[in-house]
Amino acid sequence: MHVGLEHYLTVSFLLFALGLLGVIMRRNLLVIYMSLELMLNAANLALVAFSRFNNKLDGQVLVFFIITVAAAEVSVGLALIVALYRRRRSAHVEDLTSMKF
Amino acid sequence: MDWNFIIFSVVKIAVAIGVLHAIAAYAVLAERKISAWIQDRVGPNRVAPPFMKYIPVLGPVLTRWGIFQPLADGLKFMLKEDFTPAGVHKAYFWIAPAVAIIPSMIVIAVIPFGSVMGHQQMVIANLNVGILYTFGIVSLGVYGIVLAGYAANSKYPFLGGIRSSAQMISYEISMGMSVIPVFLIAGALNLSSVIAWQAQHGWLVIYAPLSFIIFLIAGFAETNRLPFDLPEAETELVGGYHTEYSSMKFALFFLAEYSNMIAATGMMTTLFFGGWTLPFWGLDQPAHSIGIAIVQILIFLAKMCALMTVFIWVRWMFPRFRYDQLMDLGWRRFVPLAVVNILVTAIVLWAIS
Amino acid sequence: MKYELLPWLTLFLPLFAAVFITLFTLRCKTLSSFISIGAIVAGFILTVVFISANGFQIRAESVRTWLSIGNLQVDFGLKLDALSLMMMLIVTGVGGAIHIYSRGYMREDPGMARFFAFLSLFTFSMLGIVLANNFVQLFIFWELVGVSSYLLIGFWFEKPSAGDAAKKAFIVNRLGDFGFLLGILMVWGLLGSLNFSQLQGQLAANSQALGTMATIAGLLIFCGAVGKSAQFPLHVWLPDAMEGPTPVSALIHAATMVAAGVYMLCRVLFVLNADALQVVAYIGGFTALLSALIAIQQNDIKRIIAYSTLSQLGYMVMAVGLGGPTPAMFHLTTHAFFKALLFLSAGSVITALHHEQDIWKMGNLKSKMPVTFWTFLAGALALSGIFPFSGFYSKDSILGQALVRHNYLLFGVGVFVACLTTFYIFRLFFVVFLGKEKSDLSSHAHESPPVMTGPLLVLAVFSVIGGYIGIEGIYNRMFAAQPETSAGFAAALVAPFHAAPMAAWLGILAFFIGLACAYGLYAKADKDPLPEILGPLATAMKNKFYFDELYEGVFVRAHDCIAAVMNGIDRWLVEGFCIGLIRGGTDLTGRCLRYFQTGNLQTYAFLFVLGVVVALYVVLR
Amino acid sequence: MANTFPDILFYVFAVLTLGCGALVIANPFSRNPVTSAMFLVLTIISMAGLFVLLHAFFLAAVQILVYAGAVIVLFLFVIMLLDLKAETMRRIKIYGFIAGIVSVGAILAIFMKSLGATPLNSDSAPAVEGNTEPLGKLLFTHYVVPFEVVSVLLLVAMVGVILLSKKNLD
């Protein structure tokens, strides 16, 4: 079967689902963060595929922006995790529930 | 799919890697000899297989200057005990040397080491985004060192690994930015096009000397060589990230360092010194015959070796930087300098056009 | 009109002084007092300069537009005519004298800087009322005067009685001001303008412009005067206001603020029609009689003078009601002189006796406080209205006005009140200054310092000569259709005997009757002989005819009842049911929703995903 | 042949991507976050392969350069600096498991629904080449404002990170 847009979208979706599972099921903050990156990459893949099959470059520009934003987000997020770890000696989401009612 | 293409590619890859290893091995010898000369010592001068000196005419030559020293070194590496310390992360401990050497090997794929031989271009992959590929692969080189430092489960390798990766990431930026003027001038990201442009207009080192200087110094840092060999500073860290390694695993790190050097000098040759071209004797045009093609490859190798000599010479001439000085130099001197360089180049180009 | 800026300056100097003192010099008593005194004296000088440059004749307005909403245009303007200029002279002149006096009177008080800030604020507000050219401006300054009066009455707030008196004054004034505001709104609604000149023009062109509401509108506006000038039935606050420092009593509750009601009536006389004026006249007359009767049996030196003030204000209001703004303003002016004088003299006595105010503990102060004695005598004679003191002329013109209107009832009341006035003020005079020393305090009294006696002397001079220096003429030019030709000094001196001989002679007769009674009863008295003669009537007088008790019984009790009902509604219906329902609902919802707030990142992520799914479903459906 | 070779490559890279992605979130052999990070690198590289198949060469390079070269190195740094021990095997929380299944199922339903309902016009011959030059032209003309905004975002992130990393944050 000839590989078309829907194949890429399926891969993208499955990657997204993996990321989502990781975010919801893993308890290590860093791994959750990596799962987030997986989800972002899934979006990137979908955008590039759309860009390719719709003959427009705008999708790739968007991916470029997403990569930039992801880099910024990771740096800030990791700094937060480090700050949190210094205070709590833990990077485990179940230990960080002080926002509870 | 073109079978021709596959076969020739495989051949090119094999030859390139073989040559790479040979150069790397003799670079080690060169390093030792040059350091010996600089320090007024003799250096390796007698290693040879038994009875070699009895070969007429060639014998006395082959037994001098330690020509077979690399062979002995390699043999020694292979025959030593491969020792795995207790308490290491085994998987990473094993993978790390491989991860270190792979990027340094595959980065040469985009470097055009000759013009054409027959119908084959003398480059393994003529990519349109060649330079981006190079930087992408080079950036992966960090992992080997980080993993090695982490896997050893020991303080010195760990510190060495962290230092090294921070240093490499930092200098990647100034390195990447330093070459942008080159591509602004040449007008393409394809390395073959850059060489073609140089064949027509002259070497880029004349047009962008600042780029070359930054690239060269960043290259020292990227390859973890003096004066920036903080990751393996013996006086502080015993041996850096490869302290706990022995035998062939250690050899792979060693090889990776020299391969990186070769890749860096290859890039420099390509970007700043016209690659396989020489500005006279018609050597700046793609070859018509196999002979000229081989001459051009040799020209490329000669330029590379000259630059390697600079690397080695610098190693034995300069003292080591302190780590904060290193970072200060990278972020507060080279990055702004590279940006200014880009701006000035762009403005000049715009003014000319 | 030359020096147009001067009235503005006069108006705002005291405000500047008040602000400056409040912000910067509260710690510095002497400097504060000098700033305040400087502001008002400068105002007086500026006013004199302005009048000498332009005369009293001008009828001009100096206007800046303040705000404009729809067809409501409110100006901030100064109305400059004989009425307001004369009032400015009184406010800054008498006020200045009282400021200087305060410097001596308050010299021991730690809050002197605050006191002078309040005084300056009051001066500013009073000048604002005087100069206002429209109802809104008038009303705003009217309320400002109320505020500064409140602050000054309650100046010694550590005394509970002072605080109560301040509250009482403020609240009673609110009642009158409420009516006043209604009246202003009614006038605006009916005539569409608030500017005095425009209103006067409209009403002159069409006297029926207010239609059937004319009487009501007039009476509502009169309500303001009833409150501020303490007329019956809102007269109860003024005697209590004597809890404030004596200069305050002199300045606010004798000379200026309480006169503001009368002034306002004269200013807006064109709004009041005949029926309304009738009511005004009778209320004035009744107040005059009532308070004179109460004054007879009071023992507190300041309260006697306070009831006297009420009585005199009744005179003025009666004069306005009888259609005589000139006599009213004339009496207001002379009253400002002699009543301020009386209060300040009383203040002098009080300080000499270390804040003892009961007249039955004084006596024989004549030899110990000669200046105060003579100035008080001058004030008393002026108040009693004996020829040739200033009170004689103004009172005579009021009685004459009653005769002109052929209102013999009010004329009779006036004469009787004059008789009573002489009686009670000389009762006070005899008991305090003559006779025996009735306590140790009075035997150790001595004269006040010059900073206090100086203003007394100035005011005494004006109390004596105030009647024939042409003040009436100035007002006449403002109100009378054809100005009188100015007469010579001698003619002015005896003018009342020509203009209204009956009023003049009866007034003098009343004085002598009152004096004789007072001398006979009190010249040698140790205690009050009157209660034995009058019996229950005296008790009633002593208790102010039980007005406070009546109000307490009727209004306060009724108010408490309403408040209790409202409290019940608020507590059970509004709070218990309406708010309780909302609060309980919110509380319940919150209790449910907080179970979603687990503090666990992944719960939030899960909920977030669900939300996104729902949103996507809706969008992609 | 000419058409099938990229298709085969697609399947290879797709399987690599998904397999490594799965190993990022759940590795049966190791619960060490470093392993997750390393598999994330592999995922990124495989995805760069997919990008190349989609002719997005520039993005493929940038993907490796930024993600593999910088972002995940940062992850590794943090993991190493925090000295996170290998996560002990905690009992998988049944609620977390159900929540994950439910959300993925819901997303899957939406995806299938919209994929089935939308006609994908992938028949038209794809022609876009994601080379540096056209992308750069688009970036610096039509998208120049977002570009600048993103640069400001990076600056802000930089300032924020420096502030957060100060020792005396309190």
Side-chain angles (χ1 to χ4, degrees), chain A residues 20 23-26 29 32 93 96-97 99-101, chain C residues 594-602 604-606 609:
Chain A
L20 188 58
V23 167
I24 292 186
M25 288 169 65
R26 288 300 295 260
L29 263 182
I32 287 176
V93 277
L96 306 169
T97 53
M99 300 272 279
K100 193 162 56 179
F101 52 85
Chain C
R594 77 169 194 175
Y595 287 107
F596 289 96
Q597 201 75 17
T598 58
N600 188 337
L601 191 69
Q602 286 161 326
Y604 299 147
F606 176 59
V609 168

Coordinates of all heavy atoms in Angstrom, one line a residue, chain A residues 20 23-26 29 32 93 96-97 99-101, chain C residues 594-602 604-606 609:
Chain A
L20 N 0.8 10.7 25.8 CA -0.3 11.0 26.8 C -0.3 9.9 27.9 O -0.5 10.3 29.1 CB -1.7 11.0 26.0 CG -2.9 11.4 26.8 CD1 -2.7 12.8 27.3 CD2 -4.1 11.3 25.9
V23 N 2.3 10.7 30.3 CA 2.0 11.9 31.1 C 1.1 11.4 32.3 O 1.2 11.8 33.4 CB 1.4 13.0 30.3 CG1 0.8 14.1 31.3 CG2 2.5 13.7 29.5
I24 N 0.1 10.6 31.9 CA -0.9 10.3 32.9 C -0.4 9.1 33.8 O -0.8 9.1 35.0 CB -2.2 9.9 32.2 CG1 -2.8 11.2 31.6 CG2 -3.2 9.4 33.2 CD1 -4.1 11.1 31.0
M25 N 0.4 8.2 33.3 CA 0.7 7.1 34.1 C 2.0 7.1 34.8 O 2.2 6.5 35.9 CB 0.6 5.8 33.3 CG -0.9 5.5 33.0 SD -1.1 4.2 31.7 CE -0.4 2.8 32.6
R26 N 3.0 7.7 34.3 CA 4.3 7.7 34.9 C 4.3 8.7 36.1 O 3.6 9.7 36.1 CB 5.4 8.1 33.9 CG 5.7 7.0 32.9 CD 6.2 5.8 33.6 NE 7.5 5.9 34.2 CZ 8.6 5.5 33.7 NH1 8.7 5.0 32.6 NH2 9.7 5.7 34.4
L29 N 8.7 13.1 37.5 CA 8.4 14.3 36.8 C 9.2 14.4 35.5 O 8.7 14.9 34.5 CB 8.8 15.5 37.7 CG 7.7 16.1 38.5 CD1 8.2 17.3 39.3 CD2 6.6 16.7 37.5
I32 N 7.7 12.4 32.9 CA 6.5 13.0 32.4 C 6.9 14.1 31.4 O 6.2 14.3 30.4 CB 5.7 13.6 33.6 CG1 5.0 12.5 34.4 CG2 4.7 14.6 33.1 CD1 4.4 13.0 35.6
V93 N 5.7 12.9 41.4 CA 4.5 13.7 41.5 C 3.6 13.4 42.7 O 3.0 14.3 43.2 CB 3.6 13.6 40.2 CG1 4.1 14.4 39.1 CG2 3.5 12.1 39.8
L96 N 4.3 15.6 45.6 CA 4.2 17.1 45.4 C 2.7 17.4 45.3 O 2.2 17.8 44.3 CB 4.9 17.5 44.1 CG 6.3 17.1 44.0 CD1 6.8 17.3 42.6 CD2 7.1 17.8 45.0
T97 N 2.0 17.2 46.4 CA 0.6 17.5 46.4 C 0.2 18.5 47.4 O -0.9 18.5 48.0 CB -0.2 16.2 46.7 OG1 0.3 15.7 47.9 CG2 -0.1 15.2 45.6
M99 N -0.7 21.4 46.8 CA -1.8 22.3 46.2 C -3.2 21.6 46.5 O -4.2 22.1 46.0 CB -1.7 22.5 44.7 CG -0.4 23.2 44.4 SD -0.6 24.9 44.4 CE -1.4 25.2 42.8
K100 N -3.2 20.5 47.3 CA -4.4 19.8 47.6 C -5.4 20.8 48.4 O -4.9 21.7 49.0 CB -4.1 18.6 48.3 CG -5.2 17.6 48.4 CD -4.7 16.2 48.8 CE -3.9 16.3 50.1 NZ -3.4 14.9 50.4
F101 N -6.6 20.4 48.4 CA -7.6 21.3 49.1 C -7.3 21.3 50.5 O -6.8 20.4 51.1 CB -9.0 20.7 48.9 CG -9.2 19.3 49.2 CD1 -9.5 18.9 50.5 CD2 -9.2 18.4 48.2 CE1 -9.7 17.6 50.8 CE2 -9.4 17.0 48.5 CZ -9.6 16.6 49.8
Chain C
R594 N -14.1 20.6 45.5 CA -12.8 20.5 46.0 C -12.2 19.1 45.9 O -11.0 18.8 46.0 CB -12.7 21.0 47.4 CG -13.2 20.0 48.4 CD -12.9 20.5 49.8 NE -13.1 19.4 50.8 CZ -12.8 19.4 52.0 NH1 -12.3 20.5 52.5 NH2 -13.0 18.4 52.8
Y595 N -13.1 18.1 45.7 CA -12.6 16.7 45.6 C -11.9 16.6 44.3 O -11.1 15.6 44.1 CB -13.7 15.7 45.7 CG -14.2 15.6 47.1 CD1 -15.4 16.2 47.6 CD2 -13.3 15.0 48.1 CE1 -15.7 16.1 48.9 CE2 -13.7 15.0 49.4 CZ -14.9 15.5 49.8 OH -15.3 15.5 51.1
F596 N -12.1 17.5 43.3 CA -11.3 17.4 42.1 C -9.9 18.0 42.3 O -9.0 17.8 41.5 CB -12.0 18.2 41.0 CG -13.2 17.5 40.5 CD1 -14.5 17.8 41.0 CD2 -13.1 16.5 39.6 CE1 -15.6 17.2 40.6 CE2 -14.3 15.8 39.1 CZ -15.5 16.1 39.6
Q597 N -9.8 18.8 43.4 CA -8.5 19.5 43.6 C -7.6 18.6 44.4 O -7.3 18.8 45.6 CB -8.8 20.8 44.4 CG -7.7 21.8 44.3 CD -7.7 22.5 42.9 OE1 -8.7 22.4 42.2 NE2 -6.7 23.1 42.6
T598 N -7.1 17.5 43.8 CA -6.3 16.5 44.5 C -4.9 17.0 44.7 O -4.2 16.4 45.5 CB -6.3 15.2 43.8 OG1 -5.7 15.5 42.5 CG2 -7.6 14.6 43.6
G599 N -4.4 18.0 44.0 CA -3.1 18.4 44.1 C -2.2 17.5 43.3 O -1.0 17.7 43.2
N600 N -2.7 16.5 42.7 CA -1.9 15.6 41.9 C -1.9 16.0 40.4 O -3.0 16.2 39.8 CB -2.5 14.2 42.0 CG -1.6 13.1 41.3 OD1 -0.8 13.5 40.5 ND2 -1.7 11.9 41.7
L601 N -0.7 16.2 39.9 CA -0.6 16.7 38.5 C -1.3 15.9 37.5 O -2.0 16.4 36.6 CB 0.9 16.6 38.2 CG 1.4 17.3 37.0 CD1 1.2 18.8 37.2 CD2 2.8 17.0 36.7
Q602 N -1.3 14.6 37.7 CA -1.9 13.7 36.7 C -3.4 13.7 36.7 O -4.0 13.5 35.7 CB -1.3 12.3 36.9 CG 0.1 12.3 36.4 CD 0.9 11.2 36.9 OE1 0.7 10.7 38.1 NE2 1.8 10.7 36.2
Y604 N -5.1 16.4 37.2 CA -5.3 17.6 36.4 C -5.2 17.3 34.9 O -6.0 17.7 34.1 CB -4.4 18.7 36.8 CG -4.6 19.2 38.2 CD1 -3.5 19.7 38.9 CD2 -5.8 19.1 38.9 CE1 -3.6 20.0 40.2 CE2 -5.9 19.5 40.2 CZ -4.8 20.0 40.9 OH -4.9 20.4 42.1
A605 N -4.1 16.6 34.6 CA -3.8 16.3 33.2 C -5.0 15.4 32.6 O -5.5 15.7 31.5 CB -2.5 15.5 33.1
F606 N -5.4 14.5 33.4 CA -6.5 13.7 33.0 C -7.8 14.5 32.7 O -8.4 14.4 31.7 CB -6.8 12.6 34.0 CG -8.0 11.7 33.7 CD1 -8.0 11.0 32.5 CD2 -9.0 11.6 34.6 CE1 -9.1 10.1 32.3 CE2 -10.1 10.8 34.3 CZ -10.1 10.1 33.1
V609 N -7.4 16.5 29.6 CA -7.6 15.7 28.4 C -9.1 15.5 28.2 O -9.6 15.7 27.0 CB -6.9 14.4 28.5 CG1 -7.3 13.4 27.4 CG2 -5.4 14.6 28.5

